[in-house]
Amino acid sequence: MASVILPATPSESRPGRFGVYGGRYVPETLVAALVELEHEYEVAKADAAFQAELAALLHDYAGRPTPLYFAKRLTEALGGAKIYLKREDLLHTGAHKINNALGQGLLAKRMGKKRIIAETGAGQHGVATATVCALLGLECVVYMGDVDMARQELNVLRMRLLGAEVRGVSSGSKTLKDAISEAMRDWVTNVRTTYYLLGSALGAHPYPTMVRDFQRVISKEMKEQLQEKEGRLPTAVVACVGGGSNAIGAFYEFIPDRQVRLIGVEAGGRGTALGEHAARFRSGVPGVLQGTYSYVLQDEDGQIALTHSVSAGLDYASIGPEHAALHDSGRAEYVAQDDAAALEAVVKLARTEGILPALESAHAVAEALRIATTYSPRDILVVNLSGRGDKDMGILAQELKL
Amino acid sequence: MALRFDHKPDLVIYLTAGDPSLDATRAIALAAIDAGAAVIELGVPFSDPLADGPVIQRASERALAHGTRLKDVLALAKEIRAARPAAGLIIFSYLNPILRHGLTRFADDAAAAGVDGVLATDLIVEEAGEYLAELARVGLAPIFLAAPTSPDDRLEAIASHSKGFVYAISRVGITGKQQSLTTDAAALVARIRRWTQLPVAVGFGISNANHVAQVAEFADAAVVGSAIVELIERSTPEEAPGAVARFIKGLRLPEAALAR
């Protein structure tokens, strides 16, 4: 019998690739589980009953569709493009993360897995996963870096209240990257019984594709809602990018509409030196981290760099592989906004619109504030407000001296 | 200079290069070879070792803290090769440091250092096309991991693309010591042998003479990693070569096998 696996195939033609990016770079122990997941997901995706159950939960439980809100006072204050906010912050649990957690939670249940593990940075994915596990009656363990547990304590408490076990991670930078490594160690050990509910469009195939599919509802609704309100496409869509799930969800349906600018906003942190930011497209180099080939902040010896951002959810050394491909093709643009700009954007949006964005989402707001005046009132910017800022009150109190 | 297993059970010894220092790793490697190790796996420390348990994580952190780099590990390999021409020597690394070094340059440098083979922890056969071509160009053996969870079609591909030996993971999980070997290991080795005549080494969790004796019943070699790295952690740099040599000799004591 001839070998069915042909490693000489050019990597670009393999499934799970976005241009040269993506792929499946994991220890051998996990491969069978990833292949099974890929297959089960494809079957579920094509199953009308699965899609109907997910749609019903998204509607009745999570609160979809989310409003597309015209930010009139902010628009008037800036005097440029019309600014719309896609209100993912109004979803149950407070961020877009619930879209993916519900989808994968239903998939895990369908696959007969009773134990769910997840990583979390800002805690929004952890809370969404803990919520879905409570809803579906599944055991839940969430890995979170010690630094993030301290700065997003409210979310830690919410996860515990929901019945999840939160395991602190004290290795490396004690942030999202280390939480993912620890979750992968758990998965390698318990792969036969455990479902890894990855929260961003990251990791080994099929995760980047599957998470994007569960998040593309954002751009689908944006497009329909703007058509209804304005009868046209937006000039630009702006979203923050950590791993990149809210951004790929906000961009995806607009990719074929080449006149729509797609702008991803990375964390500029507190400086431009390696270690002071999480702007992968500023100084990252393609490499492999945690299962996927993408841009990675790293030193000259291939060791992964430390990162910094005021927002835990953007504080990550790599970026989803589909963003790497969109970057290289020029279809999407990526910029960085720093900690100070994000904090200013929180205040600005809170005081003009009465909306408190998550620090992550505030990076996208900051970019919208910057570019709005370069446009005329005939132009439309849609900002994906991926999450709400209640979780950040501790940091905001400290940083803004409230 | 070959990956040969002549004395069942032969031993493959993993060392995190640069822990506690490159000089110490060289002395420990030479002592391990002299004590009977057939193959030395020189581990390249990595910032995010997601397949490793706490012992090797800590060793990697220590090695990186004093600046151990891939090029230093290759230079160390060259010294070990010069001192012990007959020993088996492989580089064990996560993929990213190799990619950053450059696949072509890495293959050239590793071959020039006199290394026999390379094992990249997070590189599976489907993704290994260019890597296999580069290693083949310079005559280095690609060694792939086979897991208890690998179905037969994957084992066939792993076996057909490996050279030197196949590394069978004794159990699902990360690196680290364990009390007893699971039945996974013997079943996996039997399945691998359906696809290849290559020797099979069994690793992950092997930490005493009993484990080694058990492995000898169904495999060609036992890989010992965390137990050695932990011993080095507990020893001073001066004591470590002697301690490792005694430990290795103890792993192959026939009494241990008989007493079992």
Side-chain angles (χ1 to χ4, degrees), chain B residues 5-253:
Chain B
F5 302 106
D6 301 329
H7 317 87
K8 273 193 175 188
D10 252 322
L11 292 173
V12 177
I13 299 298
Y14 169 91
L15 301 171
T16 299
D19 171 45
S21 69
L22 288 160
D23 284 346
T25 304
R26 182 181 55 234
I28 294 164
L30 299 184
I33 293 163
D34 295 343
V39 175
I40 298 293
E41 288 183 354
L42 274 184
V44 178
F46 185 51
S47 53
D48 297 81
L50 56 80
D52 285 301
V55 170
I56 293 175
Q57 286 179 51
R58 288 198 302 270
S60 300
E61 282 177 21
R62 287 191 297 268
L64 289 174
H66 32 84
T68 309
R69 305 183 55 174
L70 176 56
K71 67 179 171 92
D72 301 324
V73 181
L74 292 168
L76 172 64
K78 193 168 193 167
E79 292 174 20
I80 295 170
R81 168 57 66 227
R84 296 293 181 276
L89 189 58
I90 68 176
I91 297 288
F92 193 104
S93 182
Y94 287 83
L95 185 58
N96 201 57
I98 293 175
L99 291 180
R100 190 65 198 262
H101 196 84
L103 268 182
T104 301
R105 189 176 147 221
F106 171 78
D108 287 338
D109 292 354
V115 161
D116 298 304
V118 183
L119 195 162
T121 319
D122 50 354
L123 182 64
I124 59 173
V125 282
E126 290 95 321
E127 304 286 8
E130 293 162 270
Y131 167 90
L132 284 167
E134 287 297 328
L135 295 195
R137 181 177 60 79
V138 296
L140 289 175
I143 295 148
F144 287 100
L145 298 169
T149 51
S150 306
D152 285 346
D153 62 341
R154 295 196 55 75
L155 290 184
E156 183 188 6
I158 288 163
S160 67
H161 293 290
S162 293
K163 295 199 178 92
F165 65 95
V166 177
Y167 187 136
I169 301 173
S170 72
R171 54 166 159 77
V172 298
I174 53 180
T175 60
K177 297 199 294 183
Q178 64 187 352
Q179 286 305 309
S180 57
L181 284 183
T182 64
T183 52
D184 280 356
L188 173 60
V189 173
R191 289 201 296 134
I192 292 169
R193 292 210 196 277
R194 287 169 51 198
W195 306 111
T196 183
Q197 304 292 316
L198 285 175
V200 180
V202 172
F204 279 40
I206 293 173
S207 57
N208 60 42
N210 266 334
H211 294 161
V212 172
Q214 278 175 267
V215 167
E217 289 172 11
F218 57 85
D220 303 287
V223 188
V224 185
S226 295
I228 298 267
V229 174
E230 194 172 51
L231 178 60
I232 294 167
E233 184 177 48
R234 289 199 311 265
S235 310
T236 65
E238 296 73 33
E239 291 165 358
V244 168
R246 279 191 300 280
F247 185 76
I248 289 172
K249 285 174 186 158
L251 288 175
R252 295 181 59 185
L253 283 180

Side-chain angles (χ1 to χ4, degrees), chain A residues 53-376:
Chain A
E53 189 178 7
L54 177 57
L57 281 173
L58 286 172
H59 184 271
D60 299 336
Y61 185 73
R64 301 213 73 92
T66 57
L68 184 69
Y69 167 72
F70 172 46
K72 186 161 177 287
R73 286 204 0 114
L74 184 64
T75 298
E76 286 170 3
L78 294 172
K82 288 180 87 168
I83 298 177
Y84 278 86
L85 304 175
K86 179 60 173 166
R87 300 294 307 277
E88 295 296 293
D89 61 314
L90 291 178
L91 283 170
H92 180 44
T93 71
H96 73 291
K97 294 292 188 188
I98 193 76
N99 301 325
N100 170 56
L102 279 170
Q104 287 197 55
L106 288 180
L107 184 59
K109 193 158 184 178
R110 185 186 167 98
M111 290 170 70
K113 305 280 186 184
K114 305 266 190 273
R115 179 174 183 269
I116 305 292
I117 58 170
E119 82 299 335
T120 197
Q124 292 302 102
H125 174 59
V127 167
T129 303
T131 298
V132 168
C133 287
L135 178 70
L136 300 178
L138 302 168
E139 182 190 347
C140 181
V141 174
V142 179
Y143 290 93
M144 188 170 189
D146 285 348
V147 167
D148 292 339
M149 283 181 74
R151 61 177 162 171
Q152 306 275 237
E153 191 190 1
L154 277 178
N155 276 341
V156 175
L157 300 176
R158 287 170 77 190
M159 287 184 266
R160 286 183 179 147
L161 180 65
L162 288 159
E165 179 190 344
V166 183
R167 294 188 185 165
V169 179
S170 60
S171 56
S173 54
K174 306 175 176 58
T175 57
L176 178 59
K177 168 172 77 74
D178 312 286
I180 294 175
S181 284
E182 206 56 36
M184 289 185 77
R185 291 187 186 110
D186 182 317
W187 201 32
V188 167
T189 306
N190 301 298
V191 63
R192 287 167 170 146
T193 59
T194 295
Y195 183 96
Y196 181 17
L197 208 161
L198 184 60
S200 197
L202 288 172
H205 180 57
Y207 284 105
T209 300
M210 180 169 66
V211 175
R212 177 253 281 154
D213 287 353
F214 287 133
Q215 294 294 358
R216 65 190 281 189
V217 63
I218 300 172
S219 50
K220 184 169 175 289
E221 286 178 9
M222 272 182 185
K223 207 169 187 175
E224 290 165 2
Q225 290 165 322
L226 199 66
Q227 191 62 39
E228 202 171 288
K229 288 177 195 290
E230 297 277 354
R232 51 164 290 189
L233 290 167
T235 309
V237 177
V238 187
C240 65
V241 192
S245 72
N246 95 81
I248 202 68
F251 292 172
Y252 195 68
E253 299 289 337
F254 294 109
I255 290 173
D257 305 311
R258 300 200 66 88
Q259 67 272 37
V260 179
R261 283 181 73 189
L262 304 175
I263 304 170
V265 188
E266 301 185 277
R270 61 190 168 207
T272 54
L274 198 61
E276 299 291 306
H277 62 85
R280 287 70 44 108
F281 291 127
R282 179 194 285 158
S283 47
V285 173
V288 165
L289 178 64
Q290 296 173 332
T292 195
Y293 182 66
S294 185
Y295 282 75
V296 180
L297 289 167
Q298 54 180 302
D299 70 13
E300 290 179 352
D301 204 36
Q303 305 295 339
I304 310 307
L306 296 179
T307 52
H308 165 81
S309 171
V310 70
S311 71
L314 304 187
D315 198 354
Y316 182 64
S318 185
I319 186 166
E322 195 160 12
H323 287 292
L326 290 171
H327 170 269
D328 283 12
S329 71
R331 179 62 194 94
E333 309 154 53
Y334 295 84
V335 297
Q337 286 288 342
D338 64 16
D339 289 353
L343 288 162
E344 274 174 41
V346 169
V347 175
K348 183 82 175 175
L349 192 63
R351 294 185 182 171
T352 54
E353 295 288 349
I355 294 171
L356 174 57
L359 277 168
E360 289 76 17
S361 321
H363 285 73
V365 176
E367 178 62 12
L369 297 180
R370 189 183 73 81
I371 64 173
T373 53
T374 68
Y375 285 110
S376 82

